[in-house]
Amino acid sequence: MTPDYTPGLWDSPQTILVILAHPDDPEFFCGATLAQWARAGHKIIYYLLTCGDKGFNDSTPTEMTPEALCALRHIEQEAAATVIGAQAVHYLDRPDGYLVPDLDLRCEIVRILRKVKPDVLVTCDPQNLFATYGINHPDHRAAGQAVLDAVFPAAGNKEYFPELLAEGLQPHMPKEIWCSLTSQPDVILDVTETWPIKLQALLHHKTQIGDLEEFKKRMATRHTEDSTDDNPRYEEKFRVIKYG
């Protein structure tokens, strides 16, 4: 990072594209940061690669089907994104749990990048195998790998996926890539002020959070080690790559 660069603070409104695997990933991974950016006047757009149709847990009704859960998670995500301040949510609806960073997915992500033309791209760290909750979901890692592979060298090079040129989609490179859910951060943001917004958004993901009061208690414990339950401070961490 250059000495005069303050991560996450830009002189003009930015288009921020969030590409992650599942509904609820934006809110869980970086919802407070996204809320900060939305309130600073930046345009935030979500693209989710799956619809989370295998997100079953102990609180899922026995009669629930993957198709019904997919539809319900769309509704939950729309409501959560509205709380965050995102302007649009799009879904690729690929099968949950089977995401693979192959050339087909890479091309689709390059298509999205060239269509949206983001200044800032948010995804997750594909190298994070061991998350704080255990083994990181393979879809999270696959999403991050596919996105980074799409960014470089393909997104800004017209020789990659020339069929996209025929669609009128010219090469485009984001200026910054922010990798969330990382074990090797180089940017840590204080998000205490917007943590309640993150929590409010997460509460819309009712199919995923289980017991409401227990969930609130668990989220409250995620304050920094140098703060207390009575006076908590919250952070979100990223690995940031700059091109611009």
Side-chain angles (χ1 to χ4, degrees):
M1 301 297 173
T2 57
D4 58 347
Y5 171 72
T6 302
L9 295 179
W10 299 283
D11 294 335
S12 59
Q14 304 290 294
T15 296
I16 299 172
L17 174 62
V18 181
I19 305 180
L20 291 167
H22 311 110
D24 82 19
D25 285 352
E27 288 75 38
F28 269 115
F29 297 174
C30 52
T33 298
L34 297 176
Q36 274 188 1
W37 289 343
R39 280 146 188 79
H42 303 298
K43 179 180 181 181
I44 297 174
I45 299 169
Y46 288 5
Y47 269 83
L48 302 175
L49 303 182
T50 82
C51 67
D53 50 279
K54 296 184 182 68
F56 287 70
N57 52 59
D58 292 342
S59 64
T60 307
T62 55
E63 67 273 14
M64 183 71 73
T65 65
E67 294 76 17
L69 183 59
C70 174
L72 188 53
R73 295 196 71 184
H74 275 218
I75 294 170
E76 292 177 342
Q77 182 59 86
E78 297 285 346
T82 297
V83 172
I84 293 296
Q87 295 190 14
V89 183
H90 305 275
Y91 309 89
L92 268 62
D93 283 344
R94 296 195 173 214
D96 185 8
Y98 298 158
L99 203 61
V100 176
D102 58 13
L103 284 175
D104 178 63
L105 181 58
R106 189 186 307 179
C107 180
E108 186 58 40
I109 293 172
V110 172
R111 177 180 283 111
I112 293 167
L113 290 170
R114 294 185 182 182
K115 184 183 299 182
V116 177
K117 297 188 181 303
D119 302 296
V120 178
L121 175 63
V122 178
T123 188
C124 55
D125 187 345
Q127 293 184 315
N128 189 13
L129 176 58
F130 303 108
T132 54
Y133 54 81
I135 298 174
N136 193 9
H137 196 297
D139 282 357
H140 297 162
R141 291 179 276 126
Q145 188 68 60
V147 170
L148 295 184
D149 289 348
V151 170
F152 184 81
N157 188 326
K158 66 182 178 61
E159 301 302 329
Y160 286 87
F161 307 113
E163 64 269 29
L164 299 181
L165 294 176
E167 298 175 17
L169 299 174
Q170 295 298 316
H172 174 79
M173 275 291 289
K175 294 180 294 187
E176 301 181 19
I177 299 93
W178 288 58
C179 295
S180 62
L181 195 65
T182 181
S183 59
Q184 45 184 345
D186 57 4
V187 170
I188 300 175
L189 299 183
D190 188 315
V191 294
T192 306
E193 184 176 347
T194 50
W195 190 263
I197 300 172
K198 172 189 176 95
L199 181 59
Q200 182 186 355
L202 283 168
L203 294 180
H204 284 286
H205 294 288
K206 295 179 181 178
T207 63
Q208 303 303 299
I209 63 177
D211 182 88
L212 184 60
E213 294 308 315
E214 287 301 316
F215 175 75
K216 289 180 179 179
K217 290 178 183 177
R218 186 165 69 251
M219 291 300 293
T221 66
R222 296 189 177 179
H223 59 72
T224 61
E225 292 183 0
D226 64 355
S227 63
T228 65
D229 292 345
D230 294 331
N231 189 26
R233 190 171 67 82
Y234 297 96
E235 295 175 336
E236 288 181 339
K237 302 178 181 181
F238 302 87
R239 182 81 176 188
V240 178
I241 306 156
K242 280 183 88 308
Y243 282 102

